[in-house]
Amino acid sequence: MSGLTDLADVLSEHPEEAMSLGVLLALSAGEPAALHQAPAIPEGATQGEYAALLRLIEMGVTP
């Protein structure tokens, strides 16, 4: 896996599940650059919502 887009793609597979730091760490294992680029996880966010946030950041849109 490389980059935020790939991470977003994987998270989109289970969009209704809760997003957590454990999920982020597991998915970005071996890719410290992706983890370093990833924003903080908003409280109560689902994996689908976080995936959308990652895609916006890749497009240059900041919250």
Side-chain angles (χ1 to χ4, degrees):
M1 179 182 313
S2 63
L4 296 179
T5 302
D6 290 343
L7 183 56
D9 289 344
V10 173
L11 290 171
S12 294
E13 293 175 8
H14 305 282
E16 297 302 318
E17 292 185 22
M19 185 61 200
S20 68
L21 182 57
V23 170
L24 182 59
L25 291 173
L27 293 176
S28 62
E31 292 291 335
L35 184 59
H36 181 29
Q37 293 176 317
I41 301 167
E43 186 175 337
T46 64
Q47 290 184 21
E49 293 166 339
Y50 192 69
L53 177 61
L54 294 177
R55 287 192 173 96
L56 288 171
I57 289 171
E58 278 292 296
M59 292 187 307
V61 178
T62 56

